[in-house]
Amino acid sequence: MPTVLILGAGSDIAVALARRYAAAGFTLQLAGRNPEQLRPLEQDLRIRHRVAATVHAFDALDFESHAGFYRALPAPPDVVLCVFGYLGSQEKGQEDWQEASRILHTNFTGAVSILNVVAEDMAARGKGTIIGISSVAGDRGRMSNYLYGSAKAGFTTYLSGLRNRLWHSGVHVMTVEPGFVATQMTEHLALPALLTAQPDEVAKDIFKAAEKKKNVLYTKWFWRYIMMIIKNVPEPIFKKKKL
């Protein structure tokens, strides 16, 4: 059976994706900073879906460990989902470099570090799928979250270039740009209900889009058009808004 590696497997979206891929019969490799916290999910997937599942320690910020982590996996994955991220605090990050650094390195540098390793392996094998969870926050900088948004903008550009490069090797790269999603990471925010997706909805969209080999997925679908409008607001007007 095909194997999926989920990086950041403890997040709400990652759990929904794990269940979606397990239901489709995939072997699962669940990776995260706290592997013991992933054990209940591993056992549930094994029992509920009768699939093989393993748990692995992975720290997005321990760049030097990434190559060894990937080599130690039980089997090279067919699909890699890069789901980890850190929203952080914009206000704190403006004054505290440690917070800003964590936001930038978790959402960009750490993702690039591990996906560079994955890309080399898949290119050598001539097959595979890489799915990176970016964000609509990267489509235009806003005063409320430009540290997070700039990291996601960099990640979106990275995935675009990686897609261009790996297409020639038979490897597909998909960029996912969620809008508002009701997760533990956003539970402190007052999100508009009509614009907010549930993790299961996002997972369903990702799974279907990956099967169709889509290049870029906005989820919910209307975020593509919302961001098209936002990106086209003239800068002299946009900079005066408090967004």
Side-chain angles (χ1 to χ4, degrees), residues 18-236:
R19 290 173 176 155
R20 179 73 53 176
Y21 276 87
F26 279 68
T27 295
L28 290 106
Q29 297 170 346
L30 308 172
R33 282 182 303 166
N34 300 304
E36 288 309 309
Q37 292 183 5
L38 298 175
R39 296 292 179 191
L41 175 62
E42 174 199 21
Q43 293 302 316
D44 180 69
L45 295 172
R46 284 175 178 271
I47 295 169
R48 188 183 305 271
H49 299 287
R50 298 184 180 181
V51 295
T54 52
V55 168
H56 309 274
F58 171 77
D59 185 346
L61 297 181
D62 187 2
F63 313 131
E64 298 302 320
S65 72
H66 290 177
F69 155 78
Y70 191 76
R71 286 196 301 267
L73 291 172
D78 301 285
V79 178
V80 172
L81 286 153
C82 186
V83 190
F84 61 82
Y86 177 63
L87 181 60
S89 168
Q90 172 66 35
E91 291 186 0
K92 183 179 179 182
Q94 291 166 189
E95 301 176 355
D96 179 356
W97 170 245
Q98 294 301 317
E99 176 72 357
S101 176
R102 185 180 175 191
I103 293 170
L104 297 171
H105 289 312
T106 302
N107 294 298
F108 180 66
T109 319
V112 171
S113 174
I114 183 59
L115 291 187
N116 274 355
V117 175
V118 174
E120 289 303 303
D121 171 58
M122 287 188 172
R125 288 189 282 140
K127 62 178 182 177
T129 298
I130 295 171
I131 302 171
I133 311 297
S134 188
S135 172
V136 297
D139 283 6
R140 189 163 192 177
R142 295 180 294 121
M143 63 182 290
S144 61
N145 68 351
Y146 61 81
L147 288 171
Y148 176 79
S150 62
K152 287 299 190 181
F155 189 40
T156 294
T157 301
Y158 169 81
L159 291 168
S160 177
L162 192 65
R163 177 164 48 251
N164 183 194
R165 172 198 161 198
L166 293 184
W167 182 87
H168 302 277
S169 300
V171 179
H172 181 61
V173 177
M174 186 171 82
T175 306
V176 181
E177 297 202 43
F180 299 136
V181 185
T183 66
Q184 294 179 49
M185 190 171 74
T186 62
E187 63 185 359
H188 64 289
L189 303 175
L191 302 179
L194 290 177
L195 300 182
T196 302
Q198 297 300 315
D200 286 344
E201 293 179 84
V202 175
K204 180 180 178 181
D205 286 348
I206 291 172
F207 186 84
K208 291 172 64 177
E211 284 190 317
K212 296 177 181 177
K213 293 192 178 296
K214 286 193 173 182
N215 297 313
V216 179
L217 168 69
Y218 281 84
T219 177
K220 296 182 174 186
W221 62 269
F222 48 69
W223 279 100
R224 176 184 297 275
Y225 303 101
I226 292 174
M227 296 315 299
M228 188 181 299
I229 294 168
I230 290 175
K231 286 190 290 185
N232 283 285
V233 175
E235 193 67 21

